Amino acid sequence: MARKLSKRAKGVLADRKRRMQWWHKARFGMFVHWGLYSILGRHEWVQNIEQIPIGEYEQLAAKFKPKPNCMREWAKLAKKAGMKYMVMTTKHHEGYCLWDSDVTDYCAGRTGPGRDLVAEYVAAARAEGLKVGFYYSLMDWHHPDGYRCATSEPARRRFVDYTHALVKELMTKFGKIDILWYDVAHPLPDAKAWESAKMNRMVRKLQPDIVLNDRSLIPEDFGTPEESIVAEGEGRAWEACMTFNGSWGFMDTPAEDWHSAREVVRMLHQVTQQGGNLLLNVGPHADGTLPAIAHERLKRVGRWLDVYGKKMVYGLRPRTPGGILGSLAVADWTAKGKTAYAWVRNWPGTEFGIGRWKGKVKSVKLLGPKGATRLKFKQEPRRLVISGLPRTCPDKALGIAILQINCASKPSRGMATHTEAAGHWK
Ligand code: GLC
């Protein structure tokens, strides 16, 4: 049975399309996990995994001395990489607040850094024209009520008040904020216990254009599949968040453990095809500098997006159900109206056949840095053969080029069976 919506919920829904327009068009954002755990470099869960006593962990705050305005490096790189927004951990599970808080002393303003790192981050992102997101972990390993709130009502009251007060600070101290990205609603059992509806009402009142994720245990504006690119149901916005190298917080892993630039474009293909966004993480060193490999990989992604982003990635576009165009060994598909796009990641050489193609093809073009080149093609009953391709892939950034196939009607291919060798069919 459909749940009856409150007046507030109806209003939020009606306004969603407007608020989320930019978000859908943006497609690609930078996630930044940065906190005291970055000093240890053994994953952002290190305090919990290694069971470091709070008193010992807290002392890291005195050692946290990031370089002034180090966030400019992140924002510049995000822009170069073709990202349109950023989301930074303002408070991760460790409980340390990266801003200068009036609610807690366990914050950057009153410990080692002696600065408001959130304010610096906001300024850096804005300077590059990027939208600004705040990650905020509801779970808190530092606050004395952060665990016992689950079993003691007075503790729950204090902790929820504390949580709402911090969120309120974030929503009032830094100007316009574009995204609030909650995380881990543990240990309270449900949205009622967190008083999430009330909290989000406050957030929307203070930031009428903000976009909220689903981790305050209310679905709100978008879903957040993690470490996998799986679309939510049609009509529901979603954003896949992915680590770059297996850890969200800084960890010095070998180069091979990082996603390649080609893999990042493959992720971008998947989210584009299924109407989602990609929030790709970087974990800066404690001093705020980014690992060189993040620079190297993201710059190459950016070079590719400079050529293909506008046409292939950004903007509102319909989902392309994978089944319609099936899979190919050398390419992946997206489609828009009567046009199919093959993202060719393994260059086929000068000729290329697409089996079981259905419908009339009007033209085939190869898209590259210098624009579009028309290609020859012929249509046989069971395949489309494209010829006159260059010997090697025209894309020198990543070796992924696009073939645009314009059709007389919506493009589609027939079903594959294992036994249908060419010639068996009549
Ligand atoms: C998980 C982890 C956390 C990380 C987050 C990002 O919930 O607990 O460390 O920040 O995923 O999505």
Side-chain angles (χ1 to χ4, degrees):
M1 204 179 72
R3 219 161 38 96
K4 247 187 112 191
L5 291 177
S6 67
K7 214 171 136 209
R8 169 193 103 89
K10 277 187 193 152
V12 168
L13 219 79
D15 197 31
R16 182 166 291 155
K17 215 171 155 188
R18 175 192 70 81
R19 283 183 296 105
M20 295 196 71
Q21 186 107 0
W22 74 263
W23 188 90
H24 284 294
K25 286 186 183 165
R27 188 79 64 208
F28 190 25
M30 176 184 270
F31 213 175
V32 183
H33 274 69
W34 194 49
L36 301 182
Y37 46 81
S38 312
I39 300 173
L40 301 179
R42 302 195 295 271
H43 198 273
E44 76 286 353
W45 272 70
V46 62
Q47 181 180 359
N48 171 286
I49 294 169
E50 299 184 10
Q51 289 292 292
I52 305 174
I54 292 175
E56 186 182 323
Y57 191 88
E58 268 176 353
Q59 289 167 29
L60 292 170
K63 295 190 199 144
F64 191 37
K65 296 273 168 69
K67 293 187 175 164
N69 290 307
C70 47
M71 307 78 179
R72 284 190 195 153
E73 180 192 336
W74 319 341
K76 284 202 167 96
L77 180 61
K79 173 123 189 247
K80 258 210 175 107
M83 292 158 157
K84 305 293 184 191
Y85 62 101
M86 299 178 72
V87 178
M88 184 192 71
T89 51
T90 60
K91 178 186 87 122
H92 202 263
H93 312 336
E94 63 181 7
Y96 183 74
C97 296
L98 292 191
W99 69 99
D100 187 11
S101 174
D102 294 324
V103 179
T104 175
D105 288 341
Y106 198 44
C107 72
R110 294 164 196 251
T111 58
R115 292 152 43 201
D116 192 318
L117 302 175
V118 172
E120 289 178 26
Y121 153 71
V122 172
R126 291 273 177 245
E128 298 303 323
L130 301 168
K131 299 277 186 187
V132 176
F134 287 170
Y135 164 108
Y136 180 90
S137 169
L138 294 163
M139 178 163 77
D140 193 310
W141 296 327
H142 181 263
H143 192 280
D145 296 317
Y147 185 62
R148 64 184 176 211
C149 60
T151 48
S152 145
E153 174 51 25
R156 187 198 68 85
R157 180 72 270 143
R158 285 192 300 268
F159 187 55
V160 167
D161 287 347
Y162 176 76
T163 301
H164 289 208
L166 289 182
V167 170
K168 187 173 181 187
E169 271 199 323
L170 287 172
M171 295 297 105
T172 44
K173 285 185 94 154
F174 305 99
K176 190 168 191 269
I177 301 306
D178 303 298
I179 303 165
L180 179 56
W181 212 103
Y182 291 117
D183 196 17
V184 186
H186 185 80
L188 294 176
D190 49 30
K192 200 164 159 242
W194 285 103
E195 302 179 26
S196 302
K198 183 174 156 209
M199 178 167 69
N200 294 347
R201 218 162 32 238
M202 164 190 70
V203 168
R204 293 198 190 279
K205 204 164 162 203
L206 295 167
Q207 297 281 345
D209 296 334
I210 205 161
V211 173
L212 297 183
N213 78 346
D214 60 348
R215 296 194 181 180
S216 64
L217 304 181
I218 297 180
E220 295 291 356
D221 297 320
F222 68 97
T224 52
E226 180 171 322
E227 290 288 55
S228 67
I229 299 183
V230 183
E232 303 239 329
E234 184 74 53
R236 170 84 174 145
W238 61 279
E239 175 197 66
C241 53
M242 304 290 288
T243 61
F244 218 137
N245 64 338
S247 172
W248 300 95
F250 169 71
M251 192 145 83
D252 191 11
T253 57
E256 274 178 72
D257 290 359
W258 286 68
H259 288 298
S260 66
R262 280 169 61 84
E263 272 160 356
V264 174
V265 169
R266 195 144 189 205
M267 291 178 206
L268 282 171
H269 165 264
Q270 285 176 287
V271 293
T272 304
Q273 188 195 49
Q274 300 173 74
N277 278 12
L278 173 66
L279 186 64
L280 181 64
N281 184 73
V282 293
H285 298 106
D287 71 0
T289 57
L290 282 171
I293 192 163
H295 277 275
E296 181 258 318
R297 305 255 150 123
L298 286 178
K299 276 182 193 154
R300 292 176 64 212
V301 172
R303 270 175 59 206
W304 190 87
L305 282 169
D306 278 346
V307 176
Y308 297 105
K310 201 161 165 223
K311 188 151 180 126
M312 303 306 302
V313 174
Y314 307 120
L316 300 171
R317 45 189 84 229
R319 295 185 185 199
T320 315
I324 290 189
L325 288 166
S327 58
L328 289 177
V330 300
D332 303 303
W333 295 104
T334 52
K336 206 173 177 181
K338 294 179 185 171
T339 308
Y341 298 96
W343 300 43
V344 186
R345 61 189 138 74
N346 297 316
W347 196 249
T350 55
E351 194 175 280
F352 173 40
I354 303 175
R356 303 187 315 278
W357 187 267
K358 282 186 168 176
K360 187 173 158 41
V361 172
K362 290 166 78 176
S363 65
V364 179
K365 287 175 190 162
L366 173 62
L367 309 184
K370 294 196 183 93
T373 328
R374 266 178 178 269
L375 293 173
K376 280 196 221 134
F377 68 93
K378 64 178 181 207
Q379 276 197 277
E380 296 170 355
R382 297 280 290 179
R383 62 175 184 154
L384 166 66
V385 183
I386 301 165
S387 56
L389 292 150
R391 220 170 277 283
T392 57
C393 182
D395 172 60
K396 299 304 168 212
L398 297 179
I400 304 173
I402 309 283
L403 282 180
Q404 177 179 326
I405 306 175
N406 299 312
C407 310
S409 55
K410 250 190 174 188
S412 74
R413 289 171 71 210
M415 290 290 287
T417 71
H418 288 313
T419 50
E420 56 162 10
H424 279 173
W425 49 273
K426 298 257 175 328

